[in-house]
Amino acid sequence: MSTAKTETEGMIVMSGWAQRQRDPKKHMAGIIFVVAFHIFLGWMIFTGAGQKFMKAVAPASIVEVVLPPEPPPPPPPPPEPVKPQPKQDIPPPPNYVPPPEVAPTTTSTAPVVESVPTPPPVQAYVPAPPAPPAVQRPVGPRGFGSITNRPECAAAFQASFPREARRAGTEGTVTLAIQVGADGKAISVEVANANPRRVFDRAAMGVINSGACQFEKDTAGYVAQLLITYKLSGEEE
């Protein structure tokens, strides 16, 4: 019963407080106080009175800045040591040399003989020996006389008789123009004349190109002209 009574009394007290809180007059007073407080704050911010009030209320704070002391200047560098200058060697004075003695001049009555230079020996003039006469080279192309191995050269031409011409019984001649160098070797060869043509040309040129014929040497070089005769009797020049 006591517990129920206590709960009933508490509910009554809570209901009375709730009723007071629901009173419209109390709510209106609270609203008016909040609005007036905001108006007051706005006035202080707009007119700057709040800042003056805060400056007056807040204690002035003094900030003292302490700077570190400046370092002392560096000590001056020590003076450079004075280097001793080397002593200059003073050359000793030259030794005293007495002047040469001059012999007294004497007059001589002996005759003075002047030396006469000996003339150089006279060389006899010897004329130089006459130069050997120049070798007269033949003018124009040379012939078979320029060949140094005529038997071997003639045998080579004899062996070069074409088989077709021998079977056909054809004879003919070929004239060769040979350019001979300083060493006696044929540089080039060409057919100057042939009768009949293109029958014995290749055979005659082949003998010269094979080196079967040797020519005499000449520093200036020359042209050798050979007339080769092909005969069926077997005798070729």
Side-chain angles (χ1 to χ4, degrees):
M1 293 295 292
S2 60
T3 305
K5 184 178 180 180
T6 304
E7 291 179 356
T8 303
E9 292 176 356
M11 292 177 62
I12 293 171
V13 173
M14 291 295 294
S15 61
W17 180 81
Q19 289 178 2
R20 288 194 302 270
Q21 292 294 329
R22 292 176 183 176
D23 189 2
K25 294 180 180 181
K26 187 176 182 178
H27 284 286
M28 181 61 70
I31 293 171
I32 294 172
F33 176 76
V34 171
V35 171
F37 180 73
H38 281 81
I39 293 172
F40 177 73
L41 289 178
W43 175 78
M44 292 183 68
I45 293 172
F46 180 77
T47 59
Q51 295 181 2
K52 295 179 181 180
F53 178 76
M54 293 298 296
K55 289 182 180 180
V57 173
S61 61
I62 300 174
V63 179
E64 183 179 359
V65 179
V66 179
L67 299 177
E70 295 183 357
E80 296 182 358
V82 179
K83 297 181 180 180
Q85 296 182 357
K87 297 181 180 181
Q88 297 180 356
D89 296 336
I90 301 175
N95 298 329
Y96 174 75
V97 179
E101 297 181 357
V102 180
T105 57
T106 57
T107 57
S108 177
T109 57
V112 178
V113 179
E114 296 181 358
S115 60
V116 179
T118 304
V122 179
Q123 297 180 355
Y125 174 74
V126 179
V135 179
Q136 297 293 331
R137 299 295 183 183
V139 180
R142 304 181 190 181
F144 283 94
S146 61
I147 300 176
T148 58
N149 60 337
R150 291 191 63 186
E152 292 81 3
C153 183
F157 279 113
Q158 181 180 354
S160 67
F161 202 108
R163 294 181 181 180
E164 294 80 2
R166 189 182 296 276
R167 292 174 183 176
T170 304
E171 297 180 347
T173 58
V174 178
T175 303
L176 301 178
I178 306 165
Q179 181 66 40
V180 182
D183 55 354
K185 296 181 180 180
I187 299 175
S188 62
V189 57
E190 61 181 4
V191 178
N193 191 11
N195 188 21
R197 300 185 61 184
R198 299 181 181 178
V199 178
F200 303 99
D201 303 13
R202 183 177 299 177
M205 293 176 64
V207 173
I208 300 300
N209 290 329
S210 65
C213 301
Q214 300 178 3
F215 299 88
E216 60 182 356
K217 300 178 181 181
D218 193 341
T219 55
Y222 57 92
V223 176
Q225 187 170 345
L226 305 180
L227 176 61
I228 311 301
T229 303
Y230 284 92
K231 293 181 180 181
L232 292 174
S233 60
E235 297 179 359
E236 290 89 8
E237 295 182 357

